[in-house]
């Protein structure tokens, strides 16, 4: 009698990603991943500490968020990593907000501006975040638009877009880590990746352990159900708004811009409304 092996959980899930990369016991995995993304001296990773991923609130009504992974490096620099599966229209503004909060929260009473440590964001998306180019890794800093002179490197945003990852490997370690995040239960790919480095082998092993753990799988499935419910409610609200705008004879292009629905979805609503 054969025993059915459960499918591997997706690394691209923010829940699973954090269990692999955001656990202090796996700090060696996180360090190797960060080295593949950032141009920070390797000595910075000699001591990295995973910290509370909450961005602190300054008032009861203040907005705040939970970052997937947040770490302090050896010299106190702050790095945060988050992964987004579903498109967020205001993702760029949201990223700036989080980045700014992590700068200002360093300014405790009596501190000088010279005490501010570098803050780096890594945003991993399963959709296109930067449509202006085809690079799967983009690095953004304060630079002159005339000659590229750098104003400061105190803040930096890195976008990693899985939707742009080429099928064939390039000559970077980052490609292999991106492939791991995107692996999606492909045993052949994971076995290939496990041969790449001790840290990659450990990452694959942790993923398999998590996938075989009944409680982890249950928590993952509960989060996915909740996520789908939220997406369903949001889409329902968008379609309701689009239907009202159609009834007011608002042009379809404007409705698409206002709601984020596709043109086809809006046109189908028009056909449905006409039939009823």
């Amino acid at each position: 009698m054969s025993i059915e092996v459960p499918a591997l959980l997706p690394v691209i899930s923010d829940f699973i990603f954090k269990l692999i990369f955001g656990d202090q016991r796996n700090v060696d995995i996180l360090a190797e991943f960060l080295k593949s993304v950032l141009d920070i001296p390797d000595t910075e990773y000699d001591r990295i500490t995973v910290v509370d991923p909450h961005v602190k609130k300054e008032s009861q009504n203040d907005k705040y968020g939970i970052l997937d992974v947040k770490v302090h490096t050896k010299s106190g620099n702050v790095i945060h990593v988050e992964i987004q599966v579903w498109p967020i229209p205001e993702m760029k503004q949201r990223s700036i907000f989080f980045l700014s909060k992590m700068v200002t929260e360093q300014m405790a009473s009596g501190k000088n501006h010279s005490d501010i440590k570098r803050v780096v964001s890594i945003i991993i998306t399963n959709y296109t975040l930067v449509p202006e180019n085809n690079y799967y890794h983009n690095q953004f800093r304060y630079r002159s638009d005339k000659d590229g002179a750098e104003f400061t490197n105190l803040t930096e945003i890195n976008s990693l877009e899985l939707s742009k990852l080429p099928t064939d490997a390039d000559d970077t370690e980052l490609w292999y880590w991106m492939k791991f995040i995107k692996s999606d239960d492909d045993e052949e790919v994971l076995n290939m990746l496990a041969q790449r480095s001790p840290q990659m082998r450990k990452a694959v092993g942790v993923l398999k352990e998590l996938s075989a753990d009944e409680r982890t799988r249950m928590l993952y499935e509960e989060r996915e159900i909740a996520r789908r419910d939220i997406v369903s409610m949001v889409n329902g609200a968008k379609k309701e708004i689009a239907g009202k705008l159609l009834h007011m004879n608002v042009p379809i292009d404007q409705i698409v811009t206002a709601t984020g629905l596709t043109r086809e979805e809006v046109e189908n609503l028009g056909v449905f409304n006409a039939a009823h």
Side-chain angles (χ1 to χ4, degrees), residues 6-215:
L8 294 176
L9 295 170
V11 184
I12 199 172
S13 159
D14 55 356
F15 177 60
I16 302 302
F17 181 89
K18 186 174 181 179
L19 289 178
I20 296 174
F21 292 93
D23 190 323
Q24 188 69 37
R25 294 170 297 181
N26 302 332
V27 74
D28 54 332
I29 297 175
L30 177 60
E32 288 303 306
F33 169 68
L34 294 178
K35 287 178 186 179
S36 75
V37 182
L38 307 175
D39 56 354
I40 293 176
D42 285 359
T43 53
E44 278 294 283
Y45 304 108
D46 289 348
R47 186 175 72 251
I48 60 175
T49 306
V50 179
V51 296
D52 183 358
H54 290 76
V55 176
K56 297 176 183 177
K57 289 199 295 184
E58 294 177 357
S59 69
Q60 196 64 29
N61 297 320
D62 197 9
K63 293 182 178 180
Y64 73 102
I66 300 177
L67 307 172
D68 291 310
V69 179
K70 182 179 178 184
V71 301
H72 288 164
T73 67
K74 183 178 180 180
S75 63
N77 294 326
V78 184
I79 303 173
H80 80 76
V81 188
E82 65 172 313
I83 190 162
Q84 288 292 339
V85 177
W86 306 107
I88 299 177
E90 69 280 5
M91 186 65 195
K92 293 179 182 179
Q93 294 89 331
R94 179 175 176 274
S95 301
I96 294 297
F97 170 76
F98 284 146
L99 197 70
S100 301
K101 291 286 284 186
M102 287 188 291
V103 172
T104 57
E105 71 184 9
Q106 295 181 47
M107 295 302 294
S109 178
K111 281 202 170 185
N112 297 317
H113 289 98
S114 59
D115 295 324
I116 295 175
K117 299 295 184 180
R118 187 179 181 191
V119 174
V120 179
S121 289
I122 300 174
I123 306 165
I124 307 170
T125 64
N126 198 32
Y127 59 90
T128 298
L129 179 63
V130 184
E132 291 80 8
N133 63 48
N134 294 319
Y135 303 123
Y136 68 86
H137 177 205
N138 283 284
Q139 183 188 73
F140 302 99
R141 293 182 185 170
Y142 289 110
R143 290 192 174 94
S144 168
D145 62 356
K146 290 182 170 59
D147 60 4
E150 188 168 77
F151 182 70
T152 179
N153 71 344
L154 274 180
T155 60
E156 174 182 313
I157 294 178
N158 291 263
S159 65
L160 299 177
E161 299 166 78
L162 292 166
S163 60
K164 296 179 181 178
L165 190 68
T167 303
D168 296 327
D170 54 28
D171 60 351
T172 67
E173 286 301 310
L174 178 57
W175 185 91
Y176 291 94
W177 282 109
M178 293 281 281
K179 194 69 174 176
F180 170 67
I181 295 170
K182 195 178 181 179
S183 56
D184 193 26
D185 196 32
D186 190 325
E187 192 75 27
E188 185 177 344
V189 170
L190 289 170
N191 289 338
M192 177 272 290
L193 294 173
Q195 305 303 314
R196 187 72 189 177
S197 69
Q199 292 78 20
M200 189 75 75
R201 183 162 55 252
K202 180 178 177 180
V204 171
V206 171
L207 174 60
K208 291 182 178 181
E209 289 176 7
L210 292 172
S211 300
D213 182 74
E214 186 175 344
R215 176 170 171 75

